[in-house]
């Protein structure tokens, strides 16, 4: 990397790392007051554990020599110890670690108010190892998803799975795992519509704002880090994709807020701040795979449509009976699928309505649903095994008493007068 690209690589990594505390604030404000510490600790636990595992072997697993390899060799460069690594390699590893961290943290929102911290940490470490690290290799590290277009339609077809910054590897991956864990852990006590209200709405808005801020590093950071087809690092010169990426990251998110609030107003009679925050996250999710491949007008439409659909999608848990506490499925899984499939229709030059045929939509759908199925199955098996051995869900009486004091011995707010 040249000096400017190296500096942006470090800066964008810091922005993406900051997004995980944003998730902690966003989720923490949505739960009840006696669960906020537990909720935020699951995000911080992910930062600690996944950061270590990524350095030890995750970075090695996230790139493959052959398209059909399951993952890279985790011991080939254990703990990044190779003397051949350069400063650019370390920045690349740093950036990749932040994606792994936040993907795991996102899952935790589905099991709010009822999960044991130790069991969550075991799940997080194993799931990252057998799901996230290999899927990252499939999508970005030379794996079968990255090569799916050429394998199906030939090298000269110009067709490749488009996932610039993580529609499949991050959001569909995390959303599918969240659904599996929600099913394994079961419903909260008293599960019904209106079971609880966010205990701290400003905390929710703060978290969403941090996420939006950090997402410019999430999307535009990839330009400097890992997405050159010839294996070279990106470049932030005058011909880079950074400009279209950042304007689409703004536009789709803003439009998604509008889409969500319109639905919320007609459906519930009021447009809420939590709805605005949720709409922003839905728009960010949808634009993640598409940020470099849409003109700004189509990005606005993507955001508007995603915000509206996700506002309806979060109601599915009441109709279908799965307790996804903080709507990880309705926002990240649904939003990730929309953003990934939308490219099959509107990707510049290859989308069905913009000069292409069905090929782009075909590879987008295969990638999306392959990751969904794989992540769901492995997460369900892991969650079930943990629940039946050491236990994953806390006791009912502990859920009523509050996860924070039972699991962590702390309270989010000390309201009693101090002596």
């Amino acid at each position: 990397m040249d000096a400017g690209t190296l500096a942006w690589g470090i800066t964008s990594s810091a922005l993406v790392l900051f997004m995980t505390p944003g998730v902690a604030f966003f989720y923490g404000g949505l739960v009840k007051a006696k669960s906020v510490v537990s909720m935020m600790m699951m995000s911080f636990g992910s930062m600690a554990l996944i950061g270590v595992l990524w350095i030890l072997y995750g970075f090695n697993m996230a790139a493959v020599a052959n398209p059909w390899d399951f993952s890279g060799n985790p011991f080939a460069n254990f703990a990044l110890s190779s003397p051949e690594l350069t400063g650019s390699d370390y920045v690349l590893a740093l950036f990749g670690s932040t994606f792994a961290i936040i993907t795991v943290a996102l899952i935790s929102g589905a099991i709010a108010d009822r999960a044991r911290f130790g069991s969550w940490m075991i799940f997080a470490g194993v799931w990252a190892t057998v799901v996230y690290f290999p899927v990252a290799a499939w999508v970005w590290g030379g794996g079968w998803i990255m090569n799916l277009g050429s394998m199906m339609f030939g090298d000269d077809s110009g067709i490749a799975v488009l996932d610039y910054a993580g529609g499949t590897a991050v959001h569909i991956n995390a959303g599918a795992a969240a659904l599996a864990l929600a099913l394994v852990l079961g419903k909260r006590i008293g599960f019904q519509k209106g079971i609880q209200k966010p205990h701290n709405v400003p905390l929710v808005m703060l978290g969403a704002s941090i996420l939006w801020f950090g997402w410019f590093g999430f999307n535009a950071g990839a330009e400097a880090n890992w997405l050159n087809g010839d294996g070279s690092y990106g470049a932030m010169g005058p011909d880079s994709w950074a400009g279209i990426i950042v304007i689409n990251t703004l536009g789709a998110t803003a439009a998604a807020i509008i889409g969500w609030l319109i639905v919320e107003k007609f459906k519930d009679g009021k447009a809420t701040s939590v709805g605005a925050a949720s709409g922003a996250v839905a728009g960010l999710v949808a634009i993640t795979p598409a940020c470099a491949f849409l003109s700004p007008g189509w990005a606005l439409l993507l955001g508007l449509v995603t915000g509206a659909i996700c506002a309806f999608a979060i109601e599915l848990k009441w109709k279908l009976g799965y307790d996804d506490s903080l709507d990880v499925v309705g926002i990240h899984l649904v939003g990730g699928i929309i953003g990934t499939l939308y490219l099959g229709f509107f990707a510049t030059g290859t989308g069905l309505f913009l000069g292409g045929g069905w090929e782009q939509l075909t590879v987008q759908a295969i990638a999306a649903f392959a990751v969904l199925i794989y992540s769901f199955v492995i997460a369900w098996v892991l969650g079930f095994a943990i629940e039946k051995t050491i236990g994953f869900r806390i006791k009912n009486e502990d859920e009523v008493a509050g996860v924070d004091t039972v699991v962590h011995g702390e309270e989010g707010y000390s309201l009693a007068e101090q002596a």
Side-chain angles (χ1 to χ4, degrees), residues 4 37 61 87 141 185 187 194 220 245 276 278 288 328 340 345 357 401 411 416:
V37 172
M61 292 180 67
L185 267 65
K187 303 170 185 176
I245 290 169
S278 300
T288 293
V328 184
T340 300
F345 298 100
E411 296 179 357

Side-chain angles (χ1 to χ4, degrees), residues 128-167:
T129 300
V130 298
V131 179
Y132 180 80
F133 299 160
V135 170
W138 302 350
V139 175
W140 297 309
W144 71 269
I145 290 178
M146 189 173 182
N147 290 278
L148 184 61
S150 60
M151 289 189 294
M152 291 184 66
F153 304 110
D155 293 335
D156 298 330
S157 65
I159 299 298
V161 174
L162 302 179
D163 185 357
Y164 198 84

Side-chain angles (χ1 to χ4, degrees), residues 9-400:
I10 296 170
T11 302
S12 60
S13 298
L15 286 170
V16 181
L17 184 63
F18 190 40
M19 289 170 64
T20 298
V23 171
F25 285 125
F26 183 73
Y27 283 171
L30 288 171
V31 298
K32 50 193 176 184
K34 55 187 178 181
S35 299
V36 60
V37 172
S38 169
M39 192 71 260
M40 298 183 78
M41 274 294 289
M42 285 198 276
S43 288
F44 273 78
S46 300
M47 294 175 73
L49 178 62
I50 307 307
V52 169
L53 296 184
W54 181 264
I55 292 173
L56 290 178
Y57 59 80
F59 178 65
N60 305 332
M61 292 180 67
V64 294
N66 300 299
W68 292 109
D69 288 347
F70 176 73
S71 73
N73 182 352
F75 304 108
N77 180 28
F78 192 75
L80 302 180
S81 57
S82 172
E84 297 179 0
L85 293 176
T86 66
S88 298
D89 294 321
Y90 290 125
V91 173
L92 179 67
L94 172 66
F95 187 70
S97 73
T98 62
F99 274 61
I101 287 166
I102 195 169
T103 302
V104 174
L106 289 173
I107 301 169
S108 64
I111 54 174
D113 298 327
R114 61 197 189 280
R116 296 182 179 184
F117 181 70
S119 299
W120 160 253
M121 292 290 281
I122 293 171
F123 172 86
V126 178
W127 184 87
T129 300
V130 298
V131 179
Y132 180 80
F133 299 160
V135 170
W138 302 350
V139 175
W140 297 309
W144 71 269
I145 290 178
M146 189 173 182
N147 290 278
L148 184 61
S150 60
M151 289 189 294
M152 291 184 66
F153 304 110
D155 293 335
D156 298 330
S157 65
I159 299 298
V161 174
L162 302 179
D163 185 357
Y164 198 84
T168 54
V170 176
H171 299 293
I172 293 175
N173 209 3
L179 177 59
L181 283 193
L183 294 174
V184 169
L185 267 65
K187 303 170 185 176
R188 287 166 290 175
I189 296 172
F191 175 73
Q192 60 181 344
K193 195 168 185 178
I195 181 176
Q196 69 179 54
K197 294 181 179 180
H199 90 279
N200 192 324
V201 173
L203 208 61
V204 176
M205 298 293 284
L206 174 63
S209 301
I210 292 173
L211 284 169
W212 198 348
F213 174 73
W215 224 287
F216 288 99
F218 196 83
N219 286 349
E223 175 72 0
N225 284 282
W226 60 23
L227 285 175
N228 279 356
D230 62 359
S232 65
Y233 295 106
M236 297 299 292
D239 297 325
S240 78
W241 289 353
I244 194 69
I245 290 169
V246 294
I247 197 64
N248 284 347
T249 301
L250 170 68
T253 308
I257 296 173
I258 295 172
W260 188 296
L261 293 181
I262 290 173
V263 169
E264 195 173 48
K265 175 64 176 177
F266 281 98
K267 184 165 61 75
D268 302 323
K270 292 182 174 64
T272 68
S273 57
V274 171
S278 300
V281 175
L284 291 164
V285 168
I287 198 59
T288 293
C291 56
F293 309 120
L294 299 175
S295 64
W298 292 118
L300 290 175
L301 179 62
L302 171 61
L304 188 68
V305 169
T306 303
I309 292 176
C310 288
F312 284 111
I314 62 171
E315 302 291 327
L316 289 175
K317 64 183 180 183
W318 309 115
K319 299 181 183 298
L320 300 179
Y322 63 89
D323 189 0
D324 171 21
S325 306
L326 306 182
D327 300 315
V328 184
V329 176
I331 294 176
H332 292 276
L333 180 57
V334 173
I337 291 172
I338 293 170
T340 300
L341 297 185
Y342 187 88
L343 287 165
F345 298 100
F346 300 109
T348 302
T350 59
L352 181 62
F353 300 145
L354 294 177
W358 290 98
E359 294 86 354
Q360 190 68 63
L361 180 59
T362 300
V363 296
Q364 297 298 118
I366 292 172
F369 290 102
V371 171
L372 189 161
I373 293 168
Y374 178 70
S375 179
F376 177 87
V377 171
I378 299 300
W380 191 92
V381 171
L382 287 175
F384 183 82
I386 293 171
E387 174 64 14
K388 294 303 181 182
T389 52
I390 64 173
F392 207 144
R393 180 171 178 153
I394 63 173
K395 298 176 182 178
N396 288 348
E397 56 267 30
D398 292 339
E399 182 181 337
V400 173

